[in-house]
Amino acid sequence: MVAQAFHWFDFELFYTEAKRVLKPEGVLSVVSYQLPRINADIDTLIDEFHHLTLGHYWPAERRHVDNAYRDIPFPLLALPPPSLQMEQYWTLTQFLGYLRSWSAVVYFGKEKKRNPIDFISKQLSTLWGDADKQMPVYWPLTIRIGNFDTGTT
């Protein structure tokens, strides 16, 4: 299993090594998480922040995550993945801390000498309501599963 790192790999080298070490009929799973989902209004704000404000501050490899790994070569016999998501209950402070950890936020801040979170914090606070209220935060998972064998799994 590779989680939240696959888009950084040299794919050809990775698959060569994975095929070498995976047991016969073994299954390889590649997992990444998408943008957080909370509610329609906050989701729209976060999507715009991610794509418009931070757009070109993301490393080029991030496009693979945004494309749900559909554009990455997958030379395996694909198996149907389960539909899963991560879930966490966070306060506004915790959610803002998570947003501050995004690499594009850091790169934006270094270049512009300003924290881009400042652009959305007031609106996010209004949409969140009570800052101490814990809200469910969901991250849909991208999962690609397969094996190198053409036999059964």
Side-chain angles (χ1 to χ4, degrees):
M1 177 176 194
V2 178
Q4 203 57 24
F6 188 59
H7 52 286
W8 299 111
F9 292 179
D10 175 316
F11 305 127
E12 186 176 332
L13 287 173
F14 172 78
Y15 286 126
T16 298
E17 184 64 7
K19 188 172 186 176
R20 186 185 72 77
V21 300
L22 197 61
K23 292 182 178 184
E25 298 185 11
V27 175
L28 174 66
S29 178
V30 176
V31 180
S32 180
Y33 58 87
Q34 297 299 306
L35 291 176
R37 305 288 85 181
I38 298 172
N39 63 42
D41 293 332
I42 293 175
D43 295 353
T44 298
L45 178 65
I46 297 305
D47 290 351
E48 290 173 358
F49 179 66
H50 175 275
H51 298 297
L52 302 178
T53 304
L54 300 177
H56 74 274
Y57 291 95
W58 287 105
E61 293 82 2
R62 171 71 193 187
R63 75 185 184 286
H64 298 307
V65 174
D66 293 337
N67 289 330
Y69 284 174
R70 286 186 301 268
D71 58 347
I72 288 179
F74 199 71
L76 292 92
L77 176 64
L79 301 170
S83 178
L84 299 173
Q85 63 185 12
M86 298 187 304
E87 177 182 345
Q88 183 67 46
Y89 284 78
W90 276 345
T91 64
L92 177 58
T93 300
Q94 290 170 308
F95 187 69
L96 287 169
Y98 162 71
L99 295 178
R100 286 184 186 97
S101 76
W102 286 4
S103 60
V105 168
V106 174
Y107 296 140
F108 183 106
K110 286 181 180 176
E111 182 178 310
K112 300 284 189 181
K113 308 294 185 227
R114 181 156 185 214
N115 187 342
I117 301 295
D118 295 343
F119 301 145
I120 64 165
S121 61
K122 185 174 181 178
Q123 186 178 0
L124 184 57
S125 179
T126 299
L127 293 171
W128 197 279
D130 177 2
D132 293 326
K133 177 176 71 173
Q134 291 191 333
M135 298 272 280
V137 182
Y138 303 95
W139 292 265
L141 296 180
T142 292
I143 305 172
R144 295 192 72 186
I145 300 174
N147 66 28
F148 292 103
D149 300 319
T150 55
T152 60
T153 56

